[in-house]
Amino acid sequence: MANSPGHSTDSLVFGNAEFQFSEGATTKAEAITRGYLDVGNVVSWTPDVTVNTFEHFGGYRGVIKKDKTIPISSSLSYALVLDEFRVANVAMALGGTDPDSDYQPGSVSRTQTIDFNNANTPRSTTVYFELEDDSSDKYPLYNLQPSEVTVTGTVKPTYTLGTDYELDEKLGRIRFLILPASNEVVDVAISRTAITSSDDYFFNAITPLGTTHRTGFGSLTIFDSDAANNIILHHRDFKCEIFAADISELSTGNQDVTTLGINVSVDASTPGIAYIRGKNL
């Protein structure tokens, strides 16, 4: 009786990945100096090896046959899906600029005018007017308190919160509950304290598509889910470019988790080294 070929379930890989990136590094030594950004949990990693070839065809007694295939170039990339909504991860997924940590304003004391004499300003009870930190419209005023906003007009001297207008505190905008007069000029006086990095509504600013790809050195590690902290594969010391992919949702049963996609393209001139665990594989 013939013996069946042996199979080992130890060779099945149930793993999760981690990716580290040293942005701007052009050499391994520079990457060590700059340090690496850890993007956190990688819920999906898909390697893609592409070999571009040239196919030669020859005529043999009237029959055209392919007689040689010549490899011209090859490439390796990783499609990574991240589920940690960190500022740096979002910047990469949006192809955005580096986060600006000085985005939130200091103390605010200004008056924003809504002029209903202007033909472009609608007299409506369904339109919201955004309240900004300054006239350049750079800083949205998130998390406003009613005590920080006073609304007055040239026709109607005083506007009352809840009767004449409503304040969307979270988005920093107002909507009129009554139709202002056609010649009304409304002043919204805003006075608030500075926002610090410890406040709930401290934000970083990113310009989407400002940096559609990033270059540096990367390191991808695959861990064994059945044996915590056991490394299965470690591809390290490779030069790479990162491109934005997509932002989607990962279904986890009762709730969907927002995920961020990036594509990591390995530079063939410095492909690094991939170490794979030899035991039971």
Side-chain angles (χ1 to χ4, degrees), residues 203-239:
F203 282 87
N204 296 101
I206 297 169
T207 302
L209 302 180
T211 308
T212 53
H213 80 285
R214 301 166 185 268
T215 61
F217 264 67
S219 175
L220 180 68
T221 311
I222 312 301
F223 290 90
D224 190 346
S225 296
D226 290 336
N229 294 320
N230 280 356
I231 295 175
I232 300 173
L233 173 69
H234 189 191
H235 184 189
R236 56 176 292 178
D237 302 342
F238 58 86
K239 194 174 181 180

mmCIF file of all heavy atoms in Angstrom, residues 203-239:
data_model
loop_
_atom_site.group_PDB
_atom_site.id
_atom_site.type_symbol
_atom_site.label_atom_id
_atom_site.label_comp_id
_atom_site.label_asym_id
_atom_site.label_seq_id
_atom_site.Cartn_x
_atom_site.Cartn_y
_atom_site.Cartn_z
ATOM 1 N N PHE A 203 -6.620 69.792 17.159
ATOM 2 C CA PHE A 203 -6.533 69.095 15.880
ATOM 3 C C PHE A 203 -5.191 69.338 15.209
ATOM 4 O O PHE A 203 -4.550 70.364 15.421
ATOM 5 C CB PHE A 203 -7.641 69.563 14.930
ATOM 6 C CG PHE A 203 -8.984 68.961 15.229
ATOM 7 C CD1 PHE A 203 -9.835 69.547 16.147
ATOM 8 C CD2 PHE A 203 -9.396 67.804 14.596
ATOM 9 C CE1 PHE A 203 -11.073 69.001 16.434
ATOM 10 C CE2 PHE A 203 -10.632 67.245 14.863
ATOM 11 C CZ PHE A 203 -11.478 67.845 15.785
ATOM 12 N N ASN A 204 -4.803 68.375 14.384
ATOM 13 C CA ASN A 204 -3.682 68.539 13.475
ATOM 14 C C ASN A 204 -4.241 68.834 12.085
ATOM 15 O O ASN A 204 -5.311 68.350 11.723
ATOM 16 C CB ASN A 204 -2.821 67.278 13.413
ATOM 17 C CG ASN A 204 -2.175 66.968 14.745
ATOM 18 O OD1 ASN A 204 -2.635 66.107 15.472
ATOM 19 N ND2 ASN A 204 -1.110 67.659 15.076
ATOM 20 N N ALA A 205 -3.506 69.606 11.313
ATOM 21 C CA ALA A 205 -3.957 69.951 9.957
ATOM 22 C C ALA A 205 -3.159 69.172 8.925
ATOM 23 O O ALA A 205 -1.934 69.087 9.003
ATOM 24 C CB ALA A 205 -3.806 71.447 9.723
ATOM 25 N N ILE A 206 -3.865 68.591 7.945
ATOM 26 C CA ILE A 206 -3.256 67.856 6.844
ATOM 27 C C ILE A 206 -3.850 68.382 5.547
ATOM 28 O O ILE A 206 -5.060 68.609 5.458
ATOM 29 C CB ILE A 206 -3.546 66.343 6.961
ATOM 30 C CG1 ILE A 206 -2.917 65.766 8.225
ATOM 31 C CG2 ILE A 206 -3.061 65.584 5.727
ATOM 32 C CD1 ILE A 206 -3.377 64.362 8.529
ATOM 33 N N THR A 207 -3.025 68.588 4.538
ATOM 34 C CA THR A 207 -3.508 68.971 3.216
ATOM 35 C C THR A 207 -3.553 67.722 2.346
ATOM 36 O O THR A 207 -2.505 67.217 1.938
ATOM 37 C CB THR A 207 -2.606 70.025 2.562
ATOM 38 O OG1 THR A 207 -2.527 71.173 3.409
ATOM 39 C CG2 THR A 207 -3.149 70.431 1.199
ATOM 40 N N PRO A 208 -4.750 67.158 2.067
ATOM 41 C CA PRO A 208 -4.838 65.959 1.225
ATOM 42 C C PRO A 208 -4.213 66.195 -0.149
ATOM 43 O O PRO A 208 -4.298 67.291 -0.708
ATOM 44 C CB PRO A 208 -6.347 65.709 1.115
ATOM 45 C CG PRO A 208 -6.916 66.355 2.340
ATOM 46 C CD PRO A 208 -6.068 67.575 2.557
ATOM 47 N N LEU A 209 -3.575 65.143 -0.670
ATOM 48 C CA LEU A 209 -2.911 65.143 -1.972
ATOM 49 C C LEU A 209 -1.697 66.062 -2.002
ATOM 50 O O LEU A 209 -1.119 66.278 -3.073
ATOM 51 C CB LEU A 209 -3.884 65.528 -3.096
ATOM 52 C CG LEU A 209 -5.120 64.636 -3.249
ATOM 53 C CD1 LEU A 209 -5.982 65.133 -4.394
ATOM 54 C CD2 LEU A 209 -4.727 63.182 -3.460
ATOM 55 N N GLY A 210 -1.304 66.581 -0.853
ATOM 56 C CA GLY A 210 -0.118 67.429 -0.801
ATOM 57 C C GLY A 210 1.166 66.638 -0.901
ATOM 58 O O GLY A 210 2.190 67.145 -1.364
ATOM 59 N N THR A 211 1.145 65.390 -0.460
ATOM 60 C CA THR A 211 2.306 64.495 -0.550
ATOM 61 C C THR A 211 1.789 63.130 -0.964
ATOM 62 O O THR A 211 1.481 62.281 -0.119
ATOM 63 C CB THR A 211 3.057 64.394 0.801
ATOM 64 O OG1 THR A 211 3.356 65.707 1.282
ATOM 65 C CG2 THR A 211 4.350 63.611 0.650
ATOM 66 N N THR A 212 1.656 62.912 -2.260
ATOM 67 C CA THR A 212 1.012 61.686 -2.741
ATOM 68 C C THR A 212 1.893 60.459 -2.606
ATOM 69 O O THR A 212 1.405 59.336 -2.671
ATOM 70 C CB THR A 212 0.586 61.831 -4.211
ATOM 71 O OG1 THR A 212 1.713 62.255 -4.987
ATOM 72 C CG2 THR A 212 -0.530 62.866 -4.338
ATOM 73 N N HIS A 213 3.195 60.660 -2.427
ATOM 74 C CA HIS A 213 4.047 59.507 -2.147
ATOM 75 C C HIS A 213 5.212 59.943 -1.266
ATOM 76 O O HIS A 213 5.641 61.088 -1.281
ATOM 77 C CB HIS A 213 4.549 58.847 -3.440
ATOM 78 C CG HIS A 213 5.713 59.552 -4.078
ATOM 79 N ND1 HIS A 213 5.584 60.736 -4.767
ATOM 80 C CD2 HIS A 213 7.022 59.221 -4.125
ATOM 81 C CE1 HIS A 213 6.762 61.110 -5.217
ATOM 82 N NE2 HIS A 213 7.653 60.218 -4.836
ATOM 83 N N ARG A 214 5.681 58.997 -0.471
ATOM 84 C CA ARG A 214 6.771 59.240 0.469
ATOM 85 C C ARG A 214 7.862 58.218 0.227
ATOM 86 O O ARG A 214 7.581 57.062 -0.109
ATOM 87 C CB ARG A 214 6.270 59.126 1.917
ATOM 88 C CG ARG A 214 5.150 60.115 2.245
ATOM 89 C CD ARG A 214 4.453 59.770 3.547
ATOM 90 N NE ARG A 214 3.316 60.649 3.780
ATOM 91 C CZ ARG A 214 3.379 61.791 4.462
ATOM 92 N NH1 ARG A 214 4.527 62.160 4.991
ATOM 93 N NH2 ARG A 214 2.313 62.543 4.623
ATOM 94 N N THR A 215 9.103 58.621 0.406
ATOM 95 C CA THR A 215 10.232 57.724 0.197
ATOM 96 C C THR A 215 10.984 57.521 1.502
ATOM 97 O O THR A 215 10.978 58.382 2.387
ATOM 98 C CB THR A 215 11.192 58.289 -0.862
ATOM 99 O OG1 THR A 215 11.705 59.564 -0.409
ATOM 100 C CG2 THR A 215 10.486 58.484 -2.189
ATOM 101 N N GLY A 216 11.640 56.386 1.619
ATOM 102 C CA GLY A 216 12.420 56.091 2.817
ATOM 103 C C GLY A 216 12.803 54.632 2.859
ATOM 104 O O GLY A 216 12.868 53.947 1.825
ATOM 105 N N PHE A 217 13.050 54.137 4.080
ATOM 106 C CA PHE A 217 13.395 52.737 4.288
ATOM 107 C C PHE A 217 12.282 52.068 5.095
ATOM 108 O O PHE A 217 11.704 52.683 5.999
ATOM 109 C CB PHE A 217 14.729 52.607 5.029
ATOM 110 C CG PHE A 217 15.910 52.398 4.125
ATOM 111 C CD1 PHE A 217 16.317 53.411 3.265
ATOM 112 C CD2 PHE A 217 16.581 51.193 4.099
ATOM 113 C CE1 PHE A 217 17.400 53.226 2.421
ATOM 114 C CE2 PHE A 217 17.661 50.999 3.255
ATOM 115 C CZ PHE A 217 18.074 52.017 2.411
ATOM 116 N N GLY A 218 11.997 50.816 4.748
ATOM 117 C CA GLY A 218 10.908 50.111 5.402
ATOM 118 C C GLY A 218 11.326 48.786 5.999
ATOM 119 O O GLY A 218 12.393 48.231 5.678
ATOM 120 N N SER A 219 10.447 48.279 6.860
ATOM 121 C CA SER A 219 10.645 46.979 7.496
ATOM 122 C C SER A 219 9.271 46.375 7.750
ATOM 123 O O SER A 219 8.428 46.990 8.398
ATOM 124 C CB SER A 219 11.410 47.138 8.813
ATOM 125 O OG SER A 219 11.509 45.900 9.496
ATOM 126 N N LEU A 220 9.039 45.175 7.216
ATOM 127 C CA LEU A 220 7.760 44.492 7.373
ATOM 128 C C LEU A 220 7.981 43.188 8.136
ATOM 129 O O LEU A 220 8.832 42.378 7.760
ATOM 130 C CB LEU A 220 7.136 44.195 6.009
ATOM 131 C CG LEU A 220 5.787 43.476 6.030
ATOM 132 C CD1 LEU A 220 4.695 44.385 6.602
ATOM 133 C CD2 LEU A 220 5.403 43.009 4.624
ATOM 134 N N THR A 221 7.205 42.999 9.208
ATOM 135 C CA THR A 221 7.346 41.820 10.052
ATOM 136 C C THR A 221 6.011 41.099 10.160
ATOM 137 O O THR A 221 4.985 41.727 10.420
ATOM 138 C CB THR A 221 7.824 42.199 11.466
ATOM 139 O OG1 THR A 221 8.959 43.063 11.368
ATOM 140 C CG2 THR A 221 8.210 40.962 12.255
ATOM 141 N N ILE A 222 6.025 39.791 9.961
ATOM 142 C CA ILE A 222 4.830 38.969 10.098
ATOM 143 C C ILE A 222 4.990 38.106 11.344
ATOM 144 O O ILE A 222 5.986 37.378 11.493
ATOM 145 C CB ILE A 222 4.613 38.055 8.865
ATOM 146 C CG1 ILE A 222 4.751 38.866 7.573
ATOM 147 C CG2 ILE A 222 3.259 37.373 8.953
ATOM 148 C CD1 ILE A 222 3.799 40.019 7.453
ATOM 149 N N PHE A 223 4.005 38.183 12.243
ATOM 150 C CA PHE A 223 4.031 37.425 13.489
ATOM 151 C C PHE A 223 3.019 36.286 13.430
ATOM 152 O O PHE A 223 1.989 36.368 12.762
ATOM 153 C CB PHE A 223 3.712 38.329 14.686
ATOM 154 C CG PHE A 223 4.796 39.314 15.018
ATOM 155 C CD1 PHE A 223 4.806 40.583 14.434
ATOM 156 C CD2 PHE A 223 5.801 38.986 15.904
ATOM 157 C CE1 PHE A 223 5.794 41.492 14.740
ATOM 158 C CE2 PHE A 223 6.803 39.889 16.215
ATOM 159 C CZ PHE A 223 6.805 41.148 15.634
ATOM 160 N N ASP A 224 3.300 35.228 14.171
ATOM 161 C CA ASP A 224 2.445 34.049 14.225
ATOM 162 C C ASP A 224 1.343 34.277 15.259
ATOM 163 O O ASP A 224 1.613 34.447 16.450
ATOM 164 C CB ASP A 224 3.281 32.820 14.600
ATOM 165 C CG ASP A 224 2.506 31.521 14.447
ATOM 166 O OD1 ASP A 224 1.273 31.575 14.323
ATOM 167 O OD2 ASP A 224 3.146 30.458 14.457
ATOM 168 N N SER A 225 0.085 34.268 14.801
ATOM 169 C CA SER A 225 -1.030 34.477 15.723
ATOM 170 C C SER A 225 -1.197 33.322 16.699
ATOM 171 O O SER A 225 -1.758 33.486 17.790
ATOM 172 C CB SER A 225 -2.338 34.667 14.942
ATOM 173 O OG SER A 225 -2.291 35.839 14.165
ATOM 174 N N ASP A 226 -0.730 32.121 16.317
ATOM 175 C CA ASP A 226 -0.854 30.958 17.197
ATOM 176 C C ASP A 226 0.233 30.912 18.255
ATOM 177 O O ASP A 226 0.144 30.119 19.198
ATOM 178 C CB ASP A 226 -0.815 29.666 16.366
ATOM 179 C CG ASP A 226 -2.070 29.495 15.525
ATOM 180 O OD1 ASP A 226 -3.108 30.085 15.909
ATOM 181 O OD2 ASP A 226 -2.016 28.801 14.504
ATOM 182 N N ALA A 227 1.267 31.698 18.078
ATOM 183 C CA ALA A 227 2.367 31.720 19.044
ATOM 184 C C ALA A 227 2.832 33.164 19.153
ATOM 185 O O ALA A 227 3.632 33.627 18.331
ATOM 186 C CB ALA A 227 3.504 30.804 18.614
ATOM 187 N N ALA A 228 2.298 33.852 20.147
ATOM 188 C CA ALA A 228 2.530 35.288 20.269
ATOM 189 C C ALA A 228 4.017 35.631 20.243
ATOM 190 O O ALA A 228 4.841 34.966 20.874
ATOM 191 C CB ALA A 228 1.898 35.804 21.563
ATOM 192 N N ASN A 229 4.328 36.684 19.504
ATOM 193 C CA ASN A 229 5.673 37.239 19.402
ATOM 194 C C ASN A 229 6.650 36.374 18.599
ATOM 195 O O ASN A 229 7.834 36.703 18.515
ATOM 196 C CB ASN A 229 6.279 37.517 20.784
ATOM 197 C CG ASN A 229 5.534 38.619 21.512
ATOM 198 O OD1 ASN A 229 5.142 39.604 20.892
ATOM 199 N ND2 ASN A 229 5.329 38.453 22.803
ATOM 200 N N ASN A 230 6.188 35.276 18.009
ATOM 201 C CA ASN A 230 7.048 34.488 17.135
ATOM 202 C C ASN A 230 7.031 35.087 15.734
ATOM 203 O O ASN A 230 5.975 35.237 15.114
ATOM 204 C CB ASN A 230 6.589 33.029 17.074
ATOM 205 C CG ASN A 230 7.049 32.239 18.285
ATOM 206 O OD1 ASN A 230 7.777 32.755 19.130
ATOM 207 N ND2 ASN A 230 6.629 30.991 18.370
ATOM 208 N N ILE A 231 8.219 35.401 15.232
ATOM 209 C CA ILE A 231 8.332 36.006 13.904
ATOM 210 C C ILE A 231 8.338 34.906 12.848
ATOM 211 O O ILE A 231 9.087 33.934 12.941
ATOM 212 C CB ILE A 231 9.618 36.842 13.798
ATOM 213 C CG1 ILE A 231 9.551 38.026 14.766
ATOM 214 C CG2 ILE A 231 9.830 37.335 12.371
ATOM 215 C CD1 ILE A 231 10.825 38.848 14.813
ATOM 216 N N ILE A 232 7.484 35.063 11.845
ATOM 217 C CA ILE A 232 7.446 34.134 10.720
ATOM 218 C C ILE A 232 8.299 34.657 9.579
ATOM 219 O O ILE A 232 9.089 33.928 8.981
ATOM 220 C CB ILE A 232 5.998 33.925 10.231
ATOM 221 C CG1 ILE A 232 5.134 33.347 11.350
ATOM 222 C CG2 ILE A 232 5.970 33.019 9.007
ATOM 223 C CD1 ILE A 232 3.663 33.272 10.991
ATOM 224 N N LEU A 233 8.110 35.935 9.265
ATOM 225 C CA LEU A 233 8.825 36.554 8.156
ATOM 226 C C LEU A 233 9.224 37.965 8.547
ATOM 227 O O LEU A 233 8.439 38.687 9.155
ATOM 228 C CB LEU A 233 7.915 36.599 6.908
ATOM 229 C CG LEU A 233 8.436 37.359 5.682
ATOM 230 C CD1 LEU A 233 9.614 36.625 5.064
ATOM 231 C CD2 LEU A 233 7.324 37.566 4.658
ATOM 232 N N HIS A 234 10.441 38.324 8.210
ATOM 233 C CA HIS A 234 10.907 39.683 8.478
ATOM 234 C C HIS A 234 11.644 40.183 7.249
ATOM 235 O O HIS A 234 12.763 39.767 6.969
ATOM 236 C CB HIS A 234 11.828 39.719 9.700
ATOM 237 C CG HIS A 234 12.167 41.116 10.136
ATOM 238 N ND1 HIS A 234 13.146 41.384 11.071
ATOM 239 C CD2 HIS A 234 11.657 42.326 9.774
ATOM 240 C CE1 HIS A 234 13.221 42.695 11.261
ATOM 241 N NE2 HIS A 234 12.334 43.279 10.474
ATOM 242 N N HIS A 235 10.984 41.078 6.501
ATOM 243 C CA HIS A 235 11.616 41.719 5.353
ATOM 244 C C HIS A 235 12.079 43.092 5.807
ATOM 245 O O HIS A 235 11.268 43.956 6.128
ATOM 246 C CB HIS A 235 10.618 41.838 4.197
ATOM 247 C CG HIS A 235 11.232 42.393 2.943
ATOM 248 N ND1 HIS A 235 10.484 42.752 1.848
ATOM 249 C CD2 HIS A 235 12.535 42.648 2.604
ATOM 250 C CE1 HIS A 235 11.287 43.202 0.894
ATOM 251 N NE2 HIS A 235 12.528 43.159 1.335
ATOM 252 N N ARG A 236 13.371 43.306 5.820
ATOM 253 C CA ARG A 236 13.901 44.526 6.408
ATOM 254 C C ARG A 236 14.928 45.184 5.487
ATOM 255 O O ARG A 236 15.378 44.613 4.503
ATOM 256 C CB ARG A 236 14.558 44.217 7.756
ATOM 257 C CG ARG A 236 15.644 43.151 7.691
ATOM 258 C CD ARG A 236 16.315 42.976 9.023
ATOM 259 N NE ARG A 236 17.100 44.169 9.373
ATOM 260 C CZ ARG A 236 17.763 44.299 10.524
ATOM 261 N NH1 ARG A 236 17.700 43.342 11.434
ATOM 262 N NH2 ARG A 236 18.460 45.382 10.764
ATOM 263 N N ASP A 237 15.259 46.409 5.848
ATOM 264 C CA ASP A 237 16.319 47.179 5.185
ATOM 265 C C ASP A 237 16.050 47.407 3.702
ATOM 266 O O ASP A 237 16.972 47.400 2.888
ATOM 267 C CB ASP A 237 17.682 46.494 5.362
ATOM 268 C CG ASP A 237 18.062 46.302 6.810
ATOM 269 O OD1 ASP A 237 17.471 46.982 7.657
ATOM 270 O OD2 ASP A 237 18.939 45.468 7.099
ATOM 271 N N PHE A 238 14.791 47.615 3.336
ATOM 272 C CA PHE A 238 14.515 47.882 1.920
ATOM 273 C C PHE A 238 14.115 49.339 1.725
ATOM 274 O O PHE A 238 13.391 49.924 2.536
ATOM 275 C CB PHE A 238 13.434 46.953 1.362
ATOM 276 C CG PHE A 238 12.107 47.006 2.062
ATOM 277 C CD1 PHE A 238 11.137 47.942 1.712
ATOM 278 C CD2 PHE A 238 11.809 46.100 3.081
ATOM 279 C CE1 PHE A 238 9.906 47.969 2.352
ATOM 280 C CE2 PHE A 238 10.582 46.118 3.726
ATOM 281 C CZ PHE A 238 9.633 47.063 3.362
ATOM 282 N N LYS A 239 14.623 49.882 0.626
ATOM 283 C CA LYS A 239 14.244 51.231 0.242
ATOM 284 C C LYS A 239 12.871 51.153 -0.422
ATOM 285 O O LYS A 239 12.578 50.204 -1.151
ATOM 286 C CB LYS A 239 15.267 51.811 -0.728
ATOM 287 C CG LYS A 239 15.175 53.312 -0.936
ATOM 288 C CD LYS A 239 16.337 53.799 -1.801
ATOM 289 C CE LYS A 239 16.271 55.310 -1.990
ATOM 290 N NZ LYS A 239 17.407 55.792 -2.826
#
